[in-house]
Structure formats: C-alpha cells, structure tokens
C-alpha cells in the first residue's frame, strides 16, 4: 500500500515569513496526484493545492507553492508571507490514477506567531 | 460551490448503542468516503462508495457498515458503539481524479 509521511508534527512561523512543510510518499506508480489540504480549527478540510505527477512544473496558488521532486518522492508545501489565517493542520495526500482511495499523511500543525 | 453536509457536529452515545452518521452532497458526485480522524494518525479510510448501493472497505472497516441508497447520501453505521470508536468522523465526496470535498465533521463521544 502507498504511504504518505509527514515528518513534522508541529511547525511554527512568524507572521509574514515563509515556511515549508515536508511530505514524502512511497509508490511504484508513475501517474498519480498529490494534494495539500488545510484543516483550520473549525474543522472543515479544504484543498490548498493539487499537483499532477506527469506535470514537471510545480503548482502554485497565490502564496502557496509546492516543490515536487518526483524521483525523490517528495512534495513539500511552501507558504510565503504567512498570515494568521494560515494557522491550521495541513495534510498531504496521495491519489493513485487507479482506484478511488486517497492516502493521507498524519498532518502538520502550523502555528503562526504574530 | 460543492457542499457536503453531515447530520451532526457533535454526538454523545452510550456503549452498545446503534449510531447513524449521515452525509449528503449536492454535486452529483459518484464517489463518497467516510474517514475517521484521530490525533497523530491522520485520516484513515473506513469505507467508500463509487455508486449507489456499491461500497468497498477501506483500511479500518471493522465495527462499521455503510449504506448508499441514493447517490447524494452516504450513511455510516456503528452497529454497537464502543468507546474505541470515539473519534472525529469526516465525510467526503468527489468525481474521479479530482479533489475530495469534505464535510464539517462529526465529533462522536461514546461513553
């Protein structure tokens, strides 16, 4: 089974600074999708960013960008100009191109310090 | 916007009770999922459904069952609740190959 590892249970960042959250995954597939989800204290999980494995270009969404290293099976999330509203639990997720199952990491709790 | 709703935000039940958690999505998604979320363990898939009346076991199906009689509704059933089923339960839906959309979650406490 595929596994997703987030090695940083907790991270903190000063407001307006940049932080990078790490994620590695294990797969033998070549075609798959990777996601970062954000879960604020209100608990509604929302999509932050999505990367298709066959695309070499790193996905970006405003202040959020990823560093996708396919050979290293690494998918880190960079948050630039951190804001108080970025404080949340962040989950990395893997989706194979076959079947329906997502695989989630254990999450990284991000604190933003004013 | 896609909307996924769950019948309760908080539930308190007693050991041995039958518990129903309901999830409704309004975007005609084929696929629906039930996860439980526990600190340090992330999200673990209980069951998913890819069509009406179709279901597949996830990673931790023991002690749970599901029902999908209509496309928009996916129910999770705890036949006889136990204290180790105290958790946050998240429902999600999606179309194939796209992101999952999550409900707000149900925090279940079994006494």
């Amino acid at each position: 089974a595929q596994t997703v590892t987030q090695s940083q249970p907790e991270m903190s960042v000063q407001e307006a600074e940049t932080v990078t959250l790490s994620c590695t995954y294990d797969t033998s597939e070549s075609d798959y999708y990777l996601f970062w989800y954000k879960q604020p204290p209100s608990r509604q999980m929302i999509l932050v960013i999505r990367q298709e494995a066959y695309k070499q270009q790193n996905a970006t969404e405003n202040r959020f960008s990823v560093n996708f290293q396919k050979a290293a099976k690494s998918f880190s999330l960079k948050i630039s100009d951190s804001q108080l509203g970025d404080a949340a639990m962040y989950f990395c997720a893997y989706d194979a191109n076959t079947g329906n199952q997502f695989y989630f990491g254990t999450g990284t709790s991000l604190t933003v310090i004013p | 916007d896609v909307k996924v709703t769950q019948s309760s935000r908080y539930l308190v039940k007693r050991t041995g009770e039958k518990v129903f958690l309901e999830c409704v999505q309004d975007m005609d998604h084929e696929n629906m999922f039930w996860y439980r979320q526990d600190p340090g363990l992330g999200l673990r898939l209980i069951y998913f459904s890819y069509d009406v009346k179709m279901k597949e076991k996830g990673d931790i199906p023991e002690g749970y069952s599901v029902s999908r009689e209509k496309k928009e509704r996916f129910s999770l059933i705890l036949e006889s609740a136990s204290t180790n089923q105290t958790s946050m339960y998240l429902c999600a839906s999606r179309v194939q190959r796209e992101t999952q959309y999550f409900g707000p979650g149900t925090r279940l406490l079994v006494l």
Side-chain angles (χ1 to χ4, degrees), chain A residues 19-41:
Chain A
V19 64
T20 299
L21 308 184
S22 300
C23 174
T24 58
Y25 57 95
D26 182 29
T27 184
S28 57
E29 306 287 336
S30 59
D31 188 14
Y32 49 87
Y33 301 83
L34 296 163
F35 302 82
W36 278 99
Y37 287 91
K38 171 185 178 182
Q39 188 181 40

Side-chain angles (χ1 to χ4, degrees), chain B residues 1 16 18 22 34 40 55-56 61 65-66 73 82 84 92-93 99 108 111:
Chain B
D1 279 353
K18 191 168 186 175
E22 298 224 309
W34 275 107
K55 61 186 179 185
E56 284 197 26
S65 62
V66 291
R73 189 180 298 269
S82 63
N84 62 12
S93 74
T99 185
L108 173 66
L111 300 174

